[in-house]
Amino acid sequence: MAGKLDGYLEEVGHYIAGDKCTDDILAEIRSHIYDRAQEEFGDTSDESIEKVLSGMEDPRDMAARYSQGQDIIAPYYRKHLMLYTAFLFLINLGVSIISLVLGGKGLHLIPFFQAAEDDFYTFLGGLPVTFFFYFGIVCMFLMVITKYRKVKPAWLILGNSGKEMGTPNLAGLAGRLFGFILVVAVLGFQDEIVKVITDAFPRISIYGLPDLLVNAFLAMAGIDLVVYAFRFLANTPVLEAAGAAAKLLIMAFIVRMPMGFETLTGLDSTLSTAIEMGIRAVCAIIVVITTIELMRWLLYSFQERYLK
Amino acid sequence: MEAENLEKEMNRGFLQLVILILLERPMYGYMIMKHMEEKGAAIEESTLYPLMRRLESQGLLKSRWDTSENKARKYYEVTEEGKAVREHLEGIIDRQHALMRDLKGGLVHGREA
């Protein structure tokens, strides 16, 4: 009958396997069973042990009690899980978007995915794969922290959901309106401005921007204004993310078009090429900044949706 | 069923305090169970042993195996840290009881007096 006791303990041990105190736990349960048999039935005979065992909890349930409170990922870290995953994923996506907008040869999804620029569906298919890859990485990271409890990721500042969003106000709207009017004024009267500066400084050559860029900057300033105005109706980061995405679409369009500097009067081809390269570099910087903006708002949208 | 869950939830924290009070002197698991049974508050072994192990891992209890008799038994005892936590928890319980009395005293047949 000692076999029954051993069998019971073996089964409990099986379900708590991995705990470094397994032997100690089993020894304590064995001691307890002997105590109960002695106290309740007057001896520790096989029959008494069997009676005690019949009143004991199922081995699996007994083992589960020892695991209670031992989370694989501690509750404190759990709230960071999706956030960190999203953070890594969005950095990755941002790199891909910059590559796409600036007309790179391929779309990269770190760490193992690369699709040709024209194979957009393959790129889309890779998105969930990449997301879950990062999810796994973050899970492992948090599991290790939970197990060894040596790091408290308070230094990871992400997780202050919604604090950066702020509420729209009239001053902010006025600022955007002023920005829009300024762009309209500068771009609308650029010929006059060029003339004034040329008259004042005849030795300096100044040229107006091509219509393509003028319209693009105007549209982007307009998007900023409209998005901010809409935030009075629904103050959500999704609006800002949509605005950033729209600006990226505009940039994607204009960087693929000839800028039109070669048609400007009195400009030799070397100079027009140099200017165009400079303008394209500025466009690339705008794309990078707008992409970071997009990722930031997407991250806030994600926080708002999943972490509240 | 809901009342049962609430009772379990309330007992979980309270039981920790009970163990910290009881283990002022060294006791082994079955001894604690019998003691509690005599007090009319039986504890299951599947609750007691894992709980004591958790308290031990938190540094609130210490244990040693006694093999001086013919049976090996594991004795638990509250640590200095456990005593400090116990005092803190007792304070909380006292405040909760005082609050309960206060709240109940301010009610007459379910209406505020």
Side-chain angles (χ1 to χ4, degrees):
Chain A
M1 199 63 70
K4 284 214 170 182
L5 175 57
D6 289 339
Y8 181 85
L9 293 174
E10 192 180 320
E11 205 168 341
V12 173
H14 171 75
Y15 289 113
I16 54 176
D19 191 317
K20 60 186 176 187
C21 301
T22 302
D23 289 342
D24 195 66
I25 291 170
L26 297 183
E28 190 172 30
I29 295 173
R30 182 189 290 275
S31 165
H32 171 79
I33 290 169
Y34 278 125
D35 273 335
R36 258 187 77 174
Q38 183 69 48
E39 178 76 19
E40 293 175 14
F41 305 107
D43 59 53
T44 54
S45 66
D46 292 346
E47 198 181 339
S48 302
I49 297 283
E50 191 181 0
K51 283 179 187 167
V52 171
L53 285 176
S54 65
M56 296 276 291
E57 198 156 351
D58 180 74
R60 190 188 304 209
D61 296 333
M62 176 66 113
R65 301 273 191 148
Y66 281 94
S67 308
Q68 276 176 5
Q70 294 176 11
D71 297 297
I72 294 175
I73 295 175
Y76 175 77
Y77 303 136
R78 238 174 267 159
K79 65 180 179 184
H80 297 85
L81 176 58
M82 294 305 283
L83 187 65
Y84 294 168
T85 302
F87 183 65
L88 291 174
F89 176 76
L90 288 174
I91 287 175
N92 198 156
L93 188 63
V95 171
S96 301
I97 288 174
I98 291 169
S99 156
L100 181 68
V101 171
L102 296 179
K105 297 292 179 193
L107 296 166
H108 302 273
L109 280 173
I110 298 167
F112 42 67
F113 208 87
Q114 185 173 353
E117 190 186 3
D118 53 355
D119 192 4
F120 196 66
Y121 291 109
T122 309
F123 173 79
L124 286 181
L127 290 178
V129 179
T130 308
F131 184 86
F132 285 112
F133 175 83
Y134 283 123
F135 185 79
I137 295 280
V138 175
C139 273
M140 280 198 293
F141 174 67
L142 296 180
M143 274 170 60
V144 170
I145 290 178
T146 299
K147 189 160 178 60
Y148 297 104
R149 292 190 176 95
K150 284 184 180 170
V151 182
K152 287 190 176 177
W155 43 271
L156 291 171
I157 54 167
L158 289 168
N160 297 324
S161 177
K163 281 186 181 170
E164 304 274 346
M165 182 74 193
T167 48
N169 52 48
L170 286 177
L173 184 66
R176 302 248 180 157
L177 186 61
F178 176 76
F180 179 71
I181 291 170
L182 192 67
V183 173
V184 170
V186 170
L187 299 179
F189 297 98
Q190 65 170 333
D191 291 340
E192 287 74 10
I193 295 170
V194 165
K195 188 170 183 308
V196 169
I197 296 174
T198 310
D199 289 346
F201 307 98
R203 297 173 69 181
I204 298 175
S205 300
I206 293 189
Y207 299 93
L209 286 171
D211 288 347
L212 182 70
L213 281 175
V214 170
N215 292 332
F217 290 147
L218 204 56
M220 287 167 71
I223 287 170
D224 271 343
L225 179 63
V226 170
V227 163
Y228 199 84
F230 269 103
R231 276 179 55 191
F232 281 96
L233 302 174
N235 189 29
T236 163
V238 176
L239 275 174
E240 292 282 3
K247 285 191 272 184
L248 283 173
L249 281 176
I250 292 169
M251 294 307 294
F253 174 72
I254 66 165
V255 296
R256 282 167 172 72
M257 301 293 283
M259 295 283 180
F261 284 99
E262 65 280 2
T263 61
L264 292 175
T265 319
L267 215 59
D268 68 50
S269 62
T270 311
L271 189 57
S272 69
T273 305
I275 291 175
E276 184 155 343
M277 281 175 66
I279 292 290
R280 283 187 187 280
V282 171
C283 287
I285 292 168
I286 293 172
V287 167
V288 170
I289 291 171
T290 312
T291 304
I292 291 171
E293 198 185 332
L294 172 64
M295 296 303 111
R296 190 167 72 99
W297 290 119
L298 282 177
L299 190 62
Y300 290 150
S301 308
F302 189 83
Q303 281 182 222
E304 193 178 61
R305 172 74 179 79
Y306 292 105
L307 299 179
K308 280 192 172 170
Chain B
M1 193 62 187
E2 188 56 37
E4 201 176 306
N5 288 337
L6 286 172
E7 187 185 342
K8 276 185 185 171
E9 207 169 301
M10 284 185 73
N11 283 343
R12 200 172 296 142
F14 185 65
L15 195 54
Q16 298 185 21
L17 177 59
V18 167
I19 297 296
L20 291 176
I21 292 171
L22 208 55
L23 289 175
E24 184 61 35
R25 65 185 174 99
M27 294 175 89
Y28 57 92
Y30 188 68
M31 194 193 249
I32 297 170
M33 279 181 65
K34 291 300 290 181
H35 192 83
M36 292 301 291
E37 207 175 300
E38 285 164 14
K39 299 281 181 194
I43 310 174
E44 289 178 18
E45 56 259 309
S46 56
T47 302
L48 178 66
Y49 286 102
L51 174 62
M52 290 200 295
R53 192 161 283 276
R54 269 203 295 283
L55 292 175
E56 188 183 9
S57 71
Q58 290 164 3
L60 306 182
L61 295 183
K62 59 185 176 186
S63 70
R64 61 177 170 81
W65 279 96
D66 182 357
T67 51
S68 57
E69 293 179 42
N70 57 350
K71 266 184 261 177
R73 281 177 177 139
K74 191 174 185 184
Y75 282 80
Y76 290 90
E77 194 178 358
V78 70
T79 61
E80 288 305 314
E81 192 183 347
K83 286 176 185 173
V85 170
R86 182 178 69 195
E87 274 181 33
H88 178 67
L89 294 179
E90 282 171 346
I92 291 173
I93 291 275
D94 287 345
R95 283 197 296 277
Q96 286 176 339
H97 283 174
L99 179 64
M100 286 290 291
R101 278 196 301 275
D102 189 29
L103 291 174
K104 280 186 169 180
L107 292 171
V108 178
H109 299 300
R111 289 177 165 190
E112 284 192 30

